[in-house]
Amino acid sequence: WAPEVQRVGDRYFLYYVNVMTGGADAEIGNKDIAVVGSANPLDFRGGRSTILLDGDYAFIDPSPFVDPSDDQAYLLYKFRGEFGTGSLVRIRPMSGPRAFNGESTRLVHSDDVPNSFNIVEHPMMIRRGGMYFFLFSAGNGADSTYRIAYMTGDRPTGPFTRLTTLFRSDADLSGDPSRSVIAPGAPSIVRDGAGADWMVYRQKSTLTDTFAERQVCIDAIDIQPARRRIVGEATKGRRLPAPTPR
């Protein structure tokens, strides 16, 4: 699960999670991060897979990032160890799409985030105006505590500070679920044909306590590096202007 595709030259690399059997903790499971390459971004079948992160616990949510200031590549990912010990997001430099080059650095632990319910996950990073924005999901993905947060820093390995919640569930969820923002998470920032920034993410479609019943959403955001902030509003069930096609 949790795939991301990165283009390197004339090839494409799909980073994904292998869900394995066994593991040291039945509640956590055994999950590895792997990568497979292809000349066709629509078809990775038959490609050579490389296991990047392997262990008895869970490595998930791979997110490649290339620093535009020096073209250094990194991989962000979530690690979760023994059940009840929380989770963390780490970043590790890469020498190429299939190999690391150096040790990993901790960016955030669930203990650093109030009301995280031991969960920080789905990381991504973007650089604007010399400022690095590190985004992630926090909270219980099965209920309305789930949300998108971010921190800012001066380099990809941190330190990152100024923890801010960008998208959260509506304060009043007694109305129509089809028009209520419920558990926004899994941030991904894209630019449209006019150069405007948009957040592609997920929400829950109901208030049922479940990891299912999700839908993909998109909302406009404004990244303001001089003020070290991102401005935006999560919406649902409203007719709004669409991204400009490329």
Side-chain angles (χ1 to χ4, degrees):
W1 71 52
E4 286 208 23
V5 175
Q6 181 185 47
R7 181 178 178 179
V8 180
D10 59 356
R11 292 186 61 78
Y12 299 85
F13 293 87
L14 171 67
Y15 295 84
Y16 64 97
V17 175
N18 263 334
V19 181
M20 315 293 284
T21 58
D25 191 315
E27 293 286 344
I28 301 301
N30 184 3
K31 302 177 180 70
D32 304 334
I33 290 177
V35 60
V36 59
S38 173
N40 181 357
L42 301 179
D43 187 359
F44 290 89
R45 293 171 297 178
R48 176 173 64 89
S49 292
T50 301
I51 302 296
L52 291 173
L53 292 164
D54 185 12
D56 288 333
Y57 292 99
F59 295 95
I60 67 171
D61 298 343
S63 180
F65 168 71
V66 177
D67 187 346
S69 71
D70 60 7
D71 293 328
Q72 173 63 55
Y74 297 88
L75 187 71
L76 292 86
Y77 59 92
K78 170 189 173 180
F79 173 74
R80 191 170 185 185
E82 185 177 351
F83 186 74
T85 61
S87 55
L88 66 157
V89 173
R90 305 191 73 91
I91 187 170
R92 191 168 177 182
M94 304 191 76
S95 58
R98 296 181 182 271
F100 290 116
N101 180 28
E103 297 302 313
S104 66
T105 300
R106 166 178 148 170
L107 296 182
V108 68
H109 191 282
S110 55
D111 289 347
D112 305 328
V113 181
N115 301 315
S116 70
F117 296 91
N118 285 332
I119 298 295
V120 287
E121 58 188 12
H122 290 294
M124 73 153 293
M125 190 172 293
I126 190 168
R127 182 180 188 266
R128 289 290 167 80
M131 181 63 58
Y132 295 87
F133 292 84
F134 162 48
L135 298 93
F136 57 93
S137 304
N140 184 348
D143 64 31
S144 61
T145 64
Y146 207 58
R147 59 202 184 273
I148 294 174
Y150 72 91
M151 304 169 78
T152 57
D154 297 321
R155 56 182 183 270
T157 53
F160 285 90
T161 59
R162 299 170 64 119
L163 175 65
T164 304
T165 297
L166 177 60
F167 288 174
R168 56 164 53 90
S169 298
D170 287 343
D172 182 3
L173 293 173
S174 61
D176 181 357
S178 70
R179 299 180 65 84
S180 300
V181 176
I182 307 171
S188 181
I189 296 175
V190 297
R191 265 188 166 170
D192 69 9
D197 290 309
W198 296 79
M199 179 73 76
V200 181
Y201 64 107
R202 76 177 191 225
Q203 290 189 34
K204 289 188 61 181
S205 58
T206 73
L207 287 169
T208 306
D209 190 356
T210 174
F211 288 100
E213 300 177 349
R214 297 169 175 173
Q215 55 192 191
V216 177
C217 302
I218 185 169
D219 277 299
I221 59 171
D222 181 19
I223 302 175
Q224 301 175 355
R227 305 183 70 176
R228 299 172 65 113
R229 72 176 189 175
I230 304 174
V231 178
E233 177 189 7
T235 67
K236 190 197 288 182
R238 291 161 51 185
R239 187 177 294 275
L240 297 168
T244 301
R246 290 188 175 182

